[in-house]
Amino acid sequence: MTTDINRPERLHGLDALRAGALLLGVVLHASLAFFPQQIWIVSDDSTSNGAAWLFFAIHLFRMTAFFLIAGLFAHMMLARKGWLGFVGDRAMRITGPLATFWFPVMVGIVGALIWTSYKNGLVVPGAPSPPPPTYDWTNFPLTHLWFLYVLTLFYAAVLILRAPFALLDSEGGWGRIVDRVTGVLIGPWTPVVLAVPLGLAFWLDPKWIAFFAVPTPDAGVVPHTAALVGFGLAFGLGFLLDRRRDLLDRIAAWSPLMLAMAVVTGVAAYYLAGGPKIEPMTEPTADKAVAAWTVALAVWSSAFAAMGLCLRFLSRHSAIRRYLADASYWIYILHLPLVMLAQVWVQDWAGPWWLKLGGVSLGVFAVCLITYELLIRHTFMGQWLNGRRVPWRPASRASALPAE
């Protein structure tokens, strides 16, 4: 087992994976307008199953990998700052942005919805407006910021569950047992083991849609059971992995096998789901059991493949990757209303779906990066969101040296 003294300053490979998971959210949401059937508020004139394949491949691993890393970083911060400092930091940098940005994000989403309704003749100028939707605790729209809400719940849960062990296990006996169990769990068999509880949650859920794999808990204050199982397991395992940093090398070593497993099970899962089919599998049949376990295995193998490959190939420092890692949080917060507005703008343009998808994604990235550089990175907002504020002009080498 590694110690705090032997740990590197930053885990650049995991920084890269966290940034990639957030940045891929832009492409994921941009692809929804190009599905063969309408499942999004914007439906483009150019559609293809290719957009559905792209969405499925990204969605399969993205948030599971994100919560895996989030759990690891949570343990690292808790060990470094103590529970009081941890609560203050997470309240400021996770719960705070959720409370601050939810309303402006909703305004942008509603604006895109109104625009596409007028553009497609669903609302006639001068006609009475349709009644506004009603919301309660079961369907409250968390939007794409749901992950901040779920992270807040996981942080609270880990503090509550950890407290009795911290008080009663002063000599670390239970901790050593947990570390040994974590070591046994990590190997090429890990996705198979973790697919059992996740597949069972899928199978028992009468509203489960196989194409969406782990359901996104973006509506309601009580997250979906399958989402709690999938993302909760990922967060908890990541929390334990920080105690056994040596196991990260094992994950990296097995990443080629994990990638092969992810490709095979991912393709099988897509076909078992019926492609971009949005009808739920209501009855717990044998066919649903096969689909549920295959999708669960694809989720875990792809998440560990992504983690291992980033550890293997992206663990060296890169100024560009570090910049994107810092910017990714702001980009993800800002992107969804921009994506929807851009989708409405280009929906009736002539051109192939992939060209318009690329244009929407790159345009949104450009706007988000410009606003990040001008409004966030060098201001108090950078300190708030990223934990550090980068000065406009870095201190020169001479001025940085201490006076003799």
Side-chain angles (χ1 to χ4, degrees), residues 201 205 207-208 215-217 219 222-229:
D205 181 6
K207 297 181 180 180
W208 180 59
T216 302
V222 178
H224 198 281
T225 300
L228 284 178
V229 172

Side-chain angles (χ1 to χ4, degrees), residues 348-392:
D348 54 1
W349 290 11
W353 70 272
W354 53 267
L355 184 61
K356 292 202 276 187
L357 171 61
V360 169
S361 301
L362 291 175
V364 170
F365 277 131
V367 172
C368 291
L369 282 172
I370 291 171
T371 56
Y372 172 73
E373 178 63 28
L374 296 180
L375 303 177
I376 306 299
R377 183 172 176 82
H378 309 288
T379 70
F380 74 95
M381 295 281 286
Q383 180 71 34
W384 178 31
L385 296 179
N386 296 329
R388 68 189 188 110
R389 173 179 175 178
V390 179
W392 283 99

Side-chain angles (χ1 to χ4, degrees), residues 25-34 40 42 44 335-347 349 352-368:
V26 179
V27 181
L28 178 106
H29 290 126
S31 70
L32 287 166
F34 305 98
W40 189 237
V42 184
D44 199 272
H335 85 278
L336 188 58
L338 299 180
V339 165
M340 296 171 73
L341 290 168
Q343 288 171 330
V344 177
W345 186 32
V346 306
Q347 65 179 339
W349 290 11
W353 70 272
W354 53 267
L355 184 61
K356 292 202 276 187
L357 171 61
V360 169
S361 301
L362 291 175
V364 170
F365 277 131
V367 172
C368 291

